[in-house]
Each structure stands twice: as structure tokens, then as C-alpha cells.
Amino acid sequence: MEPTYVLSDAERDELYGVLSAVDKSPYEDYSAFSRAVGDLVDRGEVPAFFTEVCGRVRNDRETGAAEAHVLRNCPLDAEIPVLDLDDPVADKHAKKKTFVGETFLELFAQLVGTPLLSYGTRFNGDFFIDVVAINRYSGMQTGFSDSELVYHNDRTAHPVRADFISLLGMRSPDGDYIYTGFVDGRDLLKHLSEEHQEVLRQPYFFTPYDVFSRDNNGDLTVSEKHAILENHHSFRYLDTSTTVAEGSPEIAKDALLELKNALVRADKTRHRILTGDLFTFANQDGLHSRDKMEINDPERARQRWLLKTYAFRDQAAADRHADRWIDGVQGRVGDK
């Protein structure tokens, strides 16, 4: 995928200087950290080029011009630690003492107008998640494994799902080619009949919770019955897992099969996230995957590290989930 914008080295360094001045930790007090980033905007310290780029992304989303964007040569922390994959979260908290990557993602979210959210029972409720190959999930169908991932939304089974996902390449090993695939929901609709679209809009389906979610909350097994197609082109679907609920009409199976066929036929975008790349895309208005196209050193590939955020579409979407906020922190939701 061609980048939406490539920062020059001078632009990257200028933005780095602004971001590195934030001295709050997003892991100790997210609210104070978020306010400190907002202060950069209020004081007019954000370089004009970055404000303009974020405005372009926001406009593309609002007008429907694009659901996926790439920014290249983004500022990162001067030191990127190698994480212990037995417990990468604890190891990051112990080793990572600067937060340029987190500040960049927070600033991007604020300028684009998409408030971040986190989940109270995952990663200590952190708003910045590490997409790494956790050892105990090796080979499993979860984002925190070393496996490929089928087309899906993040947190398909959960009632609260992000509208947008952003992935910042902290470490992308040279010589190993792992791509993030994306299919726009509008392209899926082109291959679905009106009749089957209407069936997919009914609560005839369910999705099992992923292994990582079950490990963090033993009460989670499967979702409630849900529709697959919502709004105009929002899809709630995990390929190979979302299936027809007991008691649903026979046509629900036909509609699910047509969706699977549509997923094969629809146009797709793939992007290899390089170190310093930001890949941001719609989580509900599209589906995404992980494709291991060429792995020449499996152990090196397992050190790939993406810093990830979940975001609501806008403040109104965040406000609709206000009753789910816990710990007094806006955007932190429960896991049920």
C-alpha cells in the first residue's frame, strides 16, 4: 500500500522534539498523559504539516474516501527495548522509560478526533497495546501469537469494539515479510445479494471468544447472538469462527457461505508495516488479517513489535459507552 504521507527526516525530528517534551507516563496515569498531549495542541506546538496530515485522514474517513492510511518515517523512542516474550507487558513497563511512540499515537488520535479506548481486564487496562508473539500463544489464532490471522474484526465476540485500529511499527525485522491485509466493507457488499445482506443483518450468528480473552476472563465463552452486517457496511465477523446460531433459518447458512465467497472475491489491500510506519484502518467498516508471506528467520520474526491503539469513531461514539467506563477513566471499558 502506498503511504498517504512520508515524513522527511527533518519533519520527523521536529515532531520528535515536540513529543519527547511530554513527561507523563501513559501507563501510570493515562488521563494526565492525555491532557499533557492535548496541551501541545492548545499551545500551538504541533508542527503544521502534521496537523494538516491528520486533517486529511479525518476528512477521508468522514467523506468515505478511504478507510485505511499509512504514514511513514514516524518518530519513535530513541531506544527500543527487546521484550521478553514470556511476559512482554511487564518487561515493557520495566524497560521502556520514554514514551515517544505512545505520545505520537495519542496525538494522532486527538487530531483525527477518535478517542482511545482500552479494556479493563486486558494488559492492566493500558491504552497502548503490544502486538508481539507471546510465547504461550504460539501457533494460536490470536493477535498475540506468531501465527497468521484470518480476516476478522478485533474483538469480534465482544459487545464493545473499536471503530479504528492504529498500528505503529516499533520493530519490523528486515528479511521477514509479514503483511497486514485489509478489505473495505463496501467491497464486500459488492459481492453480496440484497437478499443475503438482509439475512446477515439479523441476529442469526455467534462468535466464540478468542483464547486470549478467555484467559483474561474465565466467564467468557461465546458471544450473544448477533448480526454480521450492521450500519451500511460494518461487519462483525471472524473467518472460520463466526457461525450460525442454533435455531436460525436455513437461509442464514446460505448467507454465511455467500459472505465467505465474497471475502475471496473482494478487492484487498496489503501493507508491510516497516519500523516507523503507522498503519491505521477501520476495524468495523472492514476486515483485516495477518499474512506471513516470507519468513527467513522465525526467531527474528518473532521479535516484531507493533504498538497498537483502539479508537472510537468520534466523541459521540465514546459517549454512547459511558456506562461502561470503569476506574474513572474515559474510554476504559469492561470485558463483558
Side-chain angles (χ1 to χ4, degrees):
M1 180 175 174
E2 288 295 321
T4 306
Y5 190 84
V6 180
L7 280 71
S8 68
D9 289 349
E11 288 173 333
R12 180 200 61 205
D13 293 346
E14 180 186 12
L15 188 54
Y16 175 92
V18 172
L19 302 176
S20 60
V22 174
D23 60 0
K24 304 294 183 183
S25 168
Y27 305 110
E28 294 177 2
D29 188 340
Y30 172 75
S31 294
F33 168 79
S34 181
R35 287 194 299 271
V37 175
D39 289 343
L40 297 177
V41 181
D42 293 342
R43 293 194 299 264
E45 297 179 13
V46 179
F49 81 86
F50 192 63
T51 301
E52 292 169 2
V53 169
C54 292
R56 186 189 314 173
V57 172
R58 183 172 187 167
N59 184 68
D60 282 352
R61 290 175 174 178
E62 290 175 348
T63 62
E67 298 281 16
H69 297 82
V70 174
L71 306 185
R72 175 153 289 168
N73 199 30
C74 302
L76 302 175
D77 299 86
E79 295 184 11
I80 309 294
V82 175
L83 300 181
D84 178 355
L85 298 182
D86 284 334
D87 191 348
V89 176
D91 200 43
K92 178 185 72 173
H93 287 180
K95 291 177 177 176
K96 195 170 187 294
K97 303 304 182 183
T98 61
F99 309 108
V100 173
E102 291 88 344
T103 307
F104 175 79
L105 287 168
E106 175 70 25
L107 178 62
F108 175 80
Q110 291 193 22
L111 292 176
V112 177
T114 53
L116 299 186
L117 72 144
S118 72
Y119 294 90
T121 61
R122 293 161 63 97
F123 302 114
N124 305 315
D126 290 345
F127 285 75
F128 302 93
I129 307 303
D130 309 303
V131 181
V132 292
I134 301 175
N135 285 331
R136 66 181 176 277
Y137 296 112
S138 179
M140 299 183 185
Q141 191 64 197
T142 171
F144 307 103
S145 75
D146 52 4
S147 68
E148 292 194 321
L149 298 176
V150 297
Y151 276 98
H152 66 287
N153 318 103
D154 269 30
R155 319 224 69 202
T156 313
H158 295 258
V160 180
R161 299 172 305 284
D163 294 303
F164 291 100
I165 289 172
S166 293
L167 299 169
L168 178 62
M170 302 293 283
R171 177 180 293 109
S172 181
D174 293 334
D176 299 301
Y177 299 87
I178 302 172
Y179 284 76
T180 301
F182 178 77
V183 55
D184 191 312
R186 291 167 295 190
D187 289 325
L188 286 174
L189 286 184
K190 295 175 183 177
H191 300 278
L192 294 169
S193 69
E194 292 290 340
E195 178 186 18
H196 285 147
Q197 286 184 38
E198 183 58 34
V199 174
L200 292 171
R201 292 185 183 278
Q202 309 307 314
Y204 294 151
F205 310 92
F206 74 93
T207 304
Y209 280 87
D210 64 281
V211 62
F212 187 84
S213 294
R214 297 197 305 270
D215 281 356
N216 281 272
N217 187 339
D219 293 335
L220 302 178
T221 53
V222 299
S223 71
E224 79 288 357
K225 292 181 181 179
H226 65 81
I228 287 178
L229 179 57
E230 301 172 331
N231 305 315
H232 180 259
H233 60 277
S234 299
F235 283 84
R236 186 177 179 184
Y237 180 68
L238 172 59
D239 198 25
T240 74
S241 292
T242 299
T243 190
V244 177
E246 185 176 355
S248 298
E250 190 68 22
I251 196 172
K253 296 179 182 179
D254 297 334
L256 182 61
L257 181 59
E258 184 165 295
L259 173 60
K260 290 178 179 290
N261 291 338
L263 188 54
V264 174
R265 297 170 181 150
D267 291 338
K268 302 173 185 68
T269 296
R270 289 184 174 86
H271 182 69
R272 182 186 177 216
I273 301 174
L274 303 179
T275 301
D277 273 9
L278 174 70
F279 188 24
T280 182
F281 51 87
N283 181 47
Q284 298 195 59
D285 288 348
L287 301 172
H288 60 281
S289 67
R290 181 195 294 160
D291 305 315
K292 297 169 69 175
M293 305 300 288
E294 182 180 343
I295 304 298
N296 294 301
D297 185 336
E299 284 306 309
R300 178 183 61 195
R302 296 182 81 251
Q303 290 297 328
R304 181 176 184 255
W305 176 11
L306 309 179
L307 196 62
K308 174 180 183 176
T309 57
Y310 299 116
F312 290 115
R313 180 174 304 279
D314 49 30
Q315 189 60 53
D319 291 344
R320 285 196 293 273
H321 297 286
D323 61 334
R324 296 180 181 273
W325 295 346
I326 61 175
D327 300 335
V329 178
Q330 280 194 351
R332 183 170 290 155
V333 300
D335 225 0
K336 290 188 179 180

